[in-house]
Amino acid sequence: MRYAMAVDTKKCVGCNDCVVACQTENDVPIGHCRDWIVEVTTGTYPDLQLEIRSERCNHCANAPCVRTCPTEASHYAAGGIVLVEESECIGCKACITSCPYDARFVHPEGYIDKCTFCAHRVEKGQNPACVSVCPTHAMIFGDLDDPNSDISKAMATRKWKSLIPEAGTDPKVFYLL
Amino acid sequence: MIEEIITSGRMNPEIDPVLHVWGWEIPLYLFLGGLSAGILIFSAYFTLRDRQDELPIAVKWMPLAVPFLIGIGLISLLLDLSHVLYAWQLFTNIRWESPMSWGAWTLMIITPLSIAWVAIWMEDIFPEWDWKFDAVKTVIKWLQEQRRILAQILILLSIILGMYTGILLSAFNARPFWNTSILGPLFLTSGLSASAALIAYFSKTEIEKRLFTRIDVMLISIELFMIVHLFMGHLAGTQVHIQAAQMFLGGAYTVPFWTFVVGLGLVLPVSLELLELKHKFIPAIVPVVLIIAGNLALRFIVVSAGQASRWLY
């Protein structure tokens, strides 16, 4: 089982609903975010292209945060989801500096926090909160090892990319083009 | 020209707009770790060469500072931890892939050994010294007999400690400026140079002073060579590595780095030391202060610049 997420850049309108849903579901402290919206404009006027992306921890299969963590607080959970065990985290911030996506932050209580793919919902068979609320159905979550999952089908039929693949982290968040 | 404008809604403190999770605590800790490693390497090495009576400052006196330097370094490290009450977790885990884990375990072993090393020389440097308890005297006597084995272990552990201060950073490939294997040897050499300069400053004999001034000249030359290679490596690398190097070759870090680290911290003191070796009068305090300040500046600038460098994103 390899959990992954795909965000359809042709459907994402950057409404921030995923961001608000995450903050509500996971009680994310005010002033911090586990997911966020990025707008990328490329080209030269008037020939411009806009891509809107909902971004978060990439739950890398070769996660540098897990490698550099001195206490095993950052670890791979079921399905390859990368999690931080609060009671093992010493707040050394090695994982923050090792993440090329800058997806982590220091929780006001001291431990390091980030997107969990809503592991507490996934284990009940539900989608992550951001995926559930997306009004344009731009987000797909599922198991890459299951050829019949929505995400496997989307990845098989659409062009896609991941962010900074050259960093060698084998990310598990994909953007459908 | 195709332009790209990225607007991000992310605003996490210490992450955006520029990563700044490590402030003064980590560079200070790296400096003190490197300095301690340098002092122990010289002391242990010249003990193995049986030169303890000829070089008393290097072998017997300087190690006195090491437990204090390591202690201040560890306090500084603890101040950096944001979840400090869980710090004990460092010692219930061994993670081969994590340089920080290596560092924690190396320090845990080297700290008591450095105290034992100091204890070996106490009677030599303070003739009136009395350990008071017979049991302690027996242990110290045994340690003195094991001096050579202890020196060998200390050299090995100190090299790991000195290298680790750089490898800690170079293991983070998310920060292109740090992602070069030369940081380990560079920081080890720099720590050795700072300790050689201190030994030369405190030395009472001409032999010891000149020996350590010569050693320091050699170490600083190696450091300058490594700094050139650091940039050669980056400039021959990928786009992100080239951009990281450009921060020092025209970018924001150019003036502080080339002025305080290379100019005032390496070139000027090595020139003064060369004049000293030619028997010109140079106030001894000048090169040592410049070298220590340059050493600190190197670590502060490297820690800061690494966090400012990132992948094209």
Side-chain angles (χ1 to χ4, degrees):
Chain A
M1 201 159 50
R2 284 183 303 144
Y3 286 122
M5 185 181 283
V7 181
D8 191 335
T9 58
K10 287 199 167 24
K11 284 186 181 171
C12 179
V13 293
C15 68
N16 276 290
D17 214 3
C18 50
V19 178
V20 176
C22 172
Q23 291 181 320
T24 313
E25 174 72 27
N26 297 300
D27 206 9
V28 178
I30 289 174
H32 298 72
C33 48
R34 287 185 179 186
D35 61 350
W36 56 92
I37 295 291
V38 171
E39 296 180 4
V40 185
T41 312
T42 38
T44 311
Y45 180 85
D47 186 16
L48 296 170
Q49 274 193 324
L50 176 66
E51 179 177 288
I52 304 176
R53 302 195 294 249
S54 172
E55 293 189 4
R56 60 196 36 66
C57 166
N58 283 259
H59 296 275
C60 308
N62 178 24
C65 52
V66 174
R67 260 203 320 276
T68 53
C69 177
T71 66
E72 292 179 354
S74 282
H75 63 281
Y76 299 108
I81 297 179
V82 176
L83 295 181
V84 182
E85 175 57 47
E86 291 164 27
S87 63
E88 285 180 24
C89 174
I90 61 172
C92 69
K93 292 162 281 199
C95 57
I96 295 184
T97 43
S98 69
C99 174
Y101 304 100
D102 285 346
R104 294 170 165 241
F105 60 87
V106 182
H107 190 281
E109 285 177 19
Y111 58 88
I112 308 305
D113 200 15
K114 65 169 196 74
C115 161
T116 59
F117 266 171
C118 282
H120 61 288
R121 289 171 60 95
V122 172
E123 68 185 20
K124 291 185 219 154
Q126 299 170 327
N127 270 328
C130 53
V131 176
S132 292
V133 298
C134 180
T136 61
H137 299 287
M139 300 167 78
I140 310 166
F141 181 81
D143 179 10
L144 285 179
D145 285 339
D146 173 5
N148 293 316
S149 66
D150 289 346
I151 192 163
S152 295
K153 287 180 194 161
M155 303 266 297
T157 52
R158 293 278 300 274
K159 281 190 176 173
W160 53 265
K161 69 172 180 185
S162 54
L163 298 178
I164 333 179
E166 62 273 29
T169 62
D170 197 358
K172 288 290 165 278
V173 174
F174 303 99
Y175 294 91
L176 303 175
L177 303 172
Chain B
M1 188 180 82
I2 296 205
E3 289 182 359
E4 188 171 57
I5 300 167
I6 300 175
T7 313
S8 171
R10 192 184 62 201
M11 262 302 154
N12 281 327
E14 294 182 327
I15 312 294
D16 301 300
V18 176
L19 187 76
H20 188 69
V21 287
W22 285 343
W24 58 270
E25 299 90 343
I26 295 293
L28 179 66
Y29 161 66
L30 298 181
F31 166 73
L32 294 171
L35 185 60
S36 307
I39 292 171
L40 289 176
I41 289 172
F42 283 128
S43 176
Y45 174 74
F46 286 110
T47 303
L48 288 177
R49 300 286 301 269
D50 277 328
R51 295 181 72 179
Q52 53 267 36
D53 297 324
E54 200 185 345
L55 308 170
I57 300 291
V59 174
K60 301 175 183 174
W61 283 88
M62 282 305 287
L64 270 178
V66 170
F68 298 100
L69 295 174
I70 292 181
I72 298 167
L74 286 175
I75 291 169
S76 168
L77 183 65
L78 281 180
L79 287 176
D80 174 69
L81 299 181
S82 59
H83 216 206
V84 68
L85 292 178
Y86 293 79
W88 54 271
Q89 292 273 12
L90 268 174
F91 303 105
T92 51
N93 288 283
I94 295 181
R95 298 270 299 106
W96 295 113
E97 290 179 314
S98 163
M100 218 172 252
S101 186
W102 274 79
W105 284 98
T106 307
L107 277 168
M108 176 135 114
I109 302 168
I110 216 170
T111 308
L113 286 185
S114 72
I115 294 169
W117 189 248
V118 169
I120 285 178
W121 303 110
M122 284 305 269
E123 287 151 18
D124 277 58
I125 55 183
F126 301 114
E128 305 288 301
W129 191 264
D130 182 10
W131 289 104
K132 290 206 169 66
F133 302 102
D134 285 343
V136 179
K137 285 179 189 164
T138 317
V139 173
I140 304 289
K141 194 162 182 336
W142 180 80
L143 282 171
Q144 283 167 337
E145 284 160 11
Q146 310 303 320
R147 174 178 297 173
R148 295 185 74 82
I149 295 168
L150 193 54
Q152 286 163 1
I153 298 170
L154 272 179
I155 288 180
L156 178 70
L157 286 173
S158 302
I159 291 173
I160 294 174
L161 176 63
M163 292 274 274
Y164 142 77
T165 61
I167 289 172
L168 173 70
L169 301 177
S170 62
F172 298 123
N173 93 320
R175 311 294 149 196
F177 184 69
W178 289 344
N179 191 213
T180 158
S181 52
I182 212 149
L183 281 186
L186 174 64
F187 278 24
L188 173 65
T189 315
S190 158
L192 280 165
S193 153
S195 48
L198 276 174
I199 294 167
Y201 174 68
F202 287 117
S203 295
K204 302 279 184 290
T205 64
E206 192 65 9
I207 293 176
E208 194 171 22
K209 203 176 271 297
R210 287 184 72 79
L211 173 65
F212 279 90
T213 306
R214 278 214 314 276
I215 290 175
D216 204 30
V217 167
M218 187 184 72
L219 289 167
I220 291 180
S221 313
I222 296 172
E223 253 185 283
L224 286 166
F225 177 76
M226 285 182 179
I227 285 172
V228 172
H229 268 254
L230 170 79
F231 289 106
M232 279 170 71
H234 276 315
L235 290 173
T238 63
Q239 185 63 34
V240 287
H241 291 95
I242 294 170
Q243 285 188 345
Q246 280 167 346
M247 297 193 298
F248 290 78
L249 305 167
Y253 290 91
T254 311
V255 173
F257 182 76
W258 297 100
T259 310
F260 295 110
V261 178
V262 177
L264 294 174
L266 296 171
V267 176
L268 181 59
V270 82
S271 314
L272 295 176
E273 285 180 334
L274 283 168
L275 288 173
E276 240 178 302
L277 289 174
K278 290 189 173 162
H279 299 288
K280 300 273 190 285
F281 174 74
I282 304 290
I285 188 82
V286 177
V288 69
V289 167
L290 287 173
I291 287 167
I292 298 288
N295 241 272
L296 271 167
L298 172 71
R299 282 154 179 84
F300 272 86
I301 289 173
V302 167
V303 168
S304 171
Q307 295 182 87
S309 70
R310 60 205 310 170
W311 287 79
L312 295 174
Y313 175 56

